[in-house]
Amino acid sequence: MDSPLIFYLSAFTSLCVVAVSSCRLLRRRLLSVETGMNDLRFLGVKTDTKIPGTAVVCGGSIAGLLTARACHDHFERVLIVEPEAWLSTEEGRLVHSRNQTQARSRLIQYSSIQANLCFLYAGLSALFPNFDDACHESDISIAPGDYSVNFWGTFYKVPYAQYLGNLPKTFYASRKALETLIRRLALNPKSFPNIQQMVGTVVGVTTDPAKPGYLRQVSVRTQDGIFDIDAALVVDCTGPTQAGLKWLQRAGFGASLDSLTVSFDAKMHYSSCRMVVSPSLAKRLPVPGGFDNLGGSVIQLFPDMRKDGTYFGCLKDVGNEEIGTEIFLCCGGWGIQDLPRNLAGIRQYAASIHVTQPIPGWVWQFLDLLEEVEDTLTCSLVRVPASFWTHLESAPSLPANWIAIGDSVSRVNPLLSQGCPKALLGVLSMNTLLYKMDKTKAIPANFSRQFFNAQADKIKQLWESGKALDYGRSTTEPARGETLEVGSFTRWFMRHLQLLALTDDQAGSTIWHSQMMINSTSIDALHPVLLGKVLWLAGKLWLKGE
């Protein structure tokens, strides 16, 4: 009588073991394909042999600077071609970016708030061994990656206990402070003598008659005329202008490249108000744990997206106890154009956000005390451009030694702080291929194909998560052929996961790792135990009619 029972129990146990093993293997595979975690080990690793010739990086913004730094480990020479002349002067590399008198002409968010993820910090630390010291020199704070994220009035569970109190770190700096720091590090001739930057604009490319399918030169327009530069590798980091696609079309490549772009418009706007907190005021600000002891984020408030398309946040930027600390107050949202430009408006805006629990009282006291330094307030208004993704991995014909990284390929929702990490994912995809190739030979014929496939696998998760978020607002203009119903299950699931994360450590850990882009895959939220918790919570809310 017991034999059938033993048989079924053994079979069930075996199936469970196989299922668990299969899930672990799948997750390990996804961690390699979807993320850059496994690629970080190859970043910043010097090699004895370098590829002959010059890697030409077209554009000297963050994507271009990181690309150049990675190429330094693999090529005899690296040349950045940057149109904005002042970025090649000392002012573009100041230790303290707050002393700059000029701003980027084509970068709307240069003077705005920016959050930096733990994944980005890990990549920069690998590229620049002295990154922490350089941050300290520039008054940039390095602290645990806790952005004080608040869902609907309640802070969610950040996994401090999982790391025994030592949560992975990140750095807190605005776009201006970060870009200036990276430029100073990457263009340091003592650290990276093979990287040079020239003022000019790449206006075209020429093919190599001796090697079909390869580029031979780039044409650079300068104030002294047009010069042709031999190139072993050409990297398009020109950003949303996607100048590289125009060069290729004129050179006979990619007649159908325009059809590869998918875009949608979330119609987002945000105001970014900068203030300087004096040392005396900092000691009186009622931030839990003390403002001076705060790593970088005061609060990031997200409402229920079904009822409210707004956002409010406050981040520390650069500063010290002698001259004061810069902070950014950000108000933004979907389909909202009338945004505050002063403290009274910010207070009113924050109070209008739909929450299920009252916003902590210290937030209002914090805003009241900031009136003492309102005379330092400056404000920038940003209309977030449409998101797009040009699927170059599907292009029928591209030069073997031409690739594109960063916003030259895709632009995503800035609210999730994935722009710079997206560029880093492209750099990692390139670096891993270069690290593994035979450097005694030229770039292989399948290099660009391998690169764009690897980069696309890593961009996909960022694209889909951002689109699911943006499609949750009726003001979003969806991509051609799609409706706002796309991603509806993802939004439903994430809403309940966020609710669960207010009280559940496992849910909080899953969200935190996904937000920080470290050790997180697309299947982590579907862990059987976590999935059961989410469905149980959803069932209880359904019975309550919520």
Side-chain angles (χ1 to χ4, degrees):
M1 293 294 292
D2 292 338
S3 296
L5 179 60
I6 294 175
F7 171 79
Y8 289 126
L9 286 175
S10 299
F12 177 75
T13 301
S14 299
L15 286 173
C16 289
V17 171
V18 171
V20 170
S21 299
S22 299
C23 287
R24 287 177 177 172
L25 288 174
L26 175 59
R27 188 180 186 280
R28 188 179 304 168
R29 169 65 177 166
L30 292 177
L31 200 62
S32 175
V33 172
E34 292 181 341
T35 79
M37 296 305 298
N38 289 351
D39 298 284
L40 285 172
R41 57 185 167 157
F42 303 121
L43 198 61
V45 178
K46 296 180 180 179
T47 54
D48 295 332
T49 305
K50 294 196 174 185
I51 301 169
T54 302
V56 179
V57 181
C58 311
S61 191
I62 287 181
L65 292 167
L66 297 184
T67 299
R69 165 60 190 93
C71 284
H72 182 272
D73 292 330
H74 305 288
F75 289 87
E76 290 179 340
R77 181 171 180 250
V78 182
L79 177 65
I80 303 172
V81 182
E82 167 55 46
E84 291 194 57
W86 76 273
L87 295 177
S88 295
T89 68
E90 186 63 29
E91 185 169 3
R93 304 186 297 273
L94 289 177
V95 172
H96 299 296
S97 62
R98 56 178 171 264
N99 295 328
Q100 287 178 345
T101 59
Q102 302 188 66
R104 296 294 307 276
S105 61
R106 297 181 298 167
L107 193 64
I108 58 175
Q109 73 272 30
Y110 189 66
S111 299
S112 298
I113 191 173
Q114 176 165 307
N116 302 292
L117 309 185
C118 292
F119 171 67
L120 181 61
Y121 173 69
L124 293 176
S125 297
L127 286 170
F128 306 106
N130 61 331
F131 184 72
D132 284 20
D133 292 336
C135 284
H136 179 73
E137 185 182 17
S138 296
D139 297 328
I140 293 174
S141 172
I142 295 175
D146 183 355
Y147 273 89
S148 303
V149 175
N150 186 298
F151 293 133
W152 317 340
T154 304
F155 294 97
Y156 85 92
K157 306 279 282 185
V158 176
Y160 279 96
Q162 185 174 339
Y163 290 94
L164 303 178
N166 298 311
L167 197 69
K169 294 180 179 180
T170 189
F171 59 98
Y172 295 84
S174 63
R175 172 59 186 250
K176 179 169 72 171
L178 173 60
E179 183 172 321
T180 304
L181 171 63
I182 294 176
R183 183 172 293 106
R184 186 170 80 254
L185 292 173
L187 299 183
N188 184 334
K190 293 183 179 180
S191 301
F192 309 108
N194 297 338
I195 298 178
Q196 294 180 319
Q197 179 166 292
M198 68 176 294
V199 180
T201 301
V202 177
V203 294
V205 293
T206 56
T207 57
D208 190 340
K211 296 178 64 178
Y214 283 78
L215 299 179
R216 179 181 178 181
Q217 294 178 323
V218 297
S219 298
V220 181
R221 183 177 63 236
T222 71
Q223 63 179 4
D224 298 319
I226 295 180
F227 299 89
D228 293 327
I229 300 173
D230 290 340
L233 176 69
V234 181
V235 188
D236 179 8
C237 294
T238 59
T241 60
Q242 296 187 293
L245 301 187
K246 303 177 181 67
W247 312 330
L248 294 186
Q249 288 173 333
R250 290 197 295 266
F253 289 94
S256 60
L257 291 179
D258 292 338
S259 63
L260 299 177
T261 299
V262 178
S263 66
F264 65 89
D265 191 351
K267 300 187 184 302
M268 287 187 66
H269 297 76
Y270 67 89
S271 67
S272 191
C273 296
R274 171 189 170 276
M275 304 180 72
V276 180
V277 175
S278 64
S280 60
L281 176 58
K283 299 183 184 303
R284 292 183 285 119
L285 289 175
V287 178
F291 182 81
D292 287 334
N293 298 324
L294 183 70
S297 180
V298 177
I299 188 172
Q300 310 298 315
L301 179 60
F302 294 89
D304 185 343
M305 281 284 290
R306 300 178 309 167
K307 304 174 181 178
D308 196 341
T310 57
Y311 157 83
F312 169 72
C314 179
L315 283 174
K316 290 173 66 175
D317 191 20
V318 296
N320 57 51
E321 295 183 3
E322 294 181 3
I323 64 172
T325 302
E326 298 180 17
I327 65 169
F328 282 95
L329 296 166
C330 181
C331 299
W334 289 259
I336 301 172
Q337 298 186 38
D338 186 16
L339 293 167
R341 305 186 187 191
N342 53 45
L343 275 176
I346 292 172
R347 187 184 295 104
Q348 183 179 359
Y349 188 89
S352 70
I353 295 178
H354 184 276
V355 294
T356 55
Q357 296 293 327
I359 296 174
W362 62 262
V363 173
W364 308 117
Q365 298 171 25
F366 179 86
L367 293 176
D368 289 341
L369 286 171
L370 287 181
E371 291 181 359
E372 296 181 19
V373 292
E374 189 168 10
D375 60 320
T376 67
L377 188 148
T378 58
C379 187
S380 64
L381 299 178
V382 175
R383 198 289 195 195
V384 178
S387 298
F388 72 85
W389 185 3
T390 301
H391 289 272
L392 292 171
E393 74 279 6
S394 299
S397 176
L398 292 173
N401 59 338
W402 179 88
I403 60 175
I405 287 176
D407 285 358
S408 298
V409 177
S410 174
R411 179 170 55 204
V412 294
N413 187 334
L415 185 64
L416 300 178
S417 307
Q418 295 172 338
C420 291
K422 172 174 58 65
L424 177 59
L425 288 173
V427 171
L428 286 166
S429 299
M430 174 197 71
N431 183 77
T432 298
L433 289 174
L434 292 172
Y435 179 84
K436 294 181 177 181
M437 70 171 278
D438 183 354
K439 293 183 175 58
T440 62
K441 301 179 180 179
I443 297 290
N446 64 348
F447 181 82
S448 65
R449 176 67 60 197
Q450 287 184 304
F451 167 80
F452 283 118
N453 285 337
Q455 182 175 242
D457 287 338
K458 298 182 191 313
I459 288 178
K460 182 179 179 180
Q461 193 173 357
L462 308 186
W463 176 260
E464 294 298 336
S465 61
K467 184 167 71 170
L469 176 67
D470 291 334
Y471 277 29
R473 299 304 302 171
S474 61
T475 51
T476 296
E477 181 181 325
R480 182 179 301 177
E482 295 184 345
T483 70
L484 295 182
E485 289 301 310
V486 172
S488 57
F489 174 76
T490 299
R491 288 189 292 276
W492 176 89
F493 187 87
M494 286 306 300
R495 175 178 180 270
H496 290 88
L497 184 64
Q498 289 172 351
L499 277 173
L500 185 64
L502 304 181
T503 56
D504 185 86
D505 289 333
Q506 185 184 13
S509 174
T510 300
I511 288 178
W512 184 86
H513 283 90
S514 177
Q515 288 180 332
M516 292 294 113
M517 291 178 59
I518 58 171
N519 295 319
S520 175
T521 74
S522 57
I523 65 170
D524 290 358
L526 301 178
H527 187 283
V529 175
L530 186 57
L531 182 61
K533 293 177 183 178
V534 169
L535 295 177
W536 179 258
L537 174 61
K540 291 195 298 182
L541 293 176
W542 180 77
L543 291 174
K544 294 180 180 179
E546 299 181 16

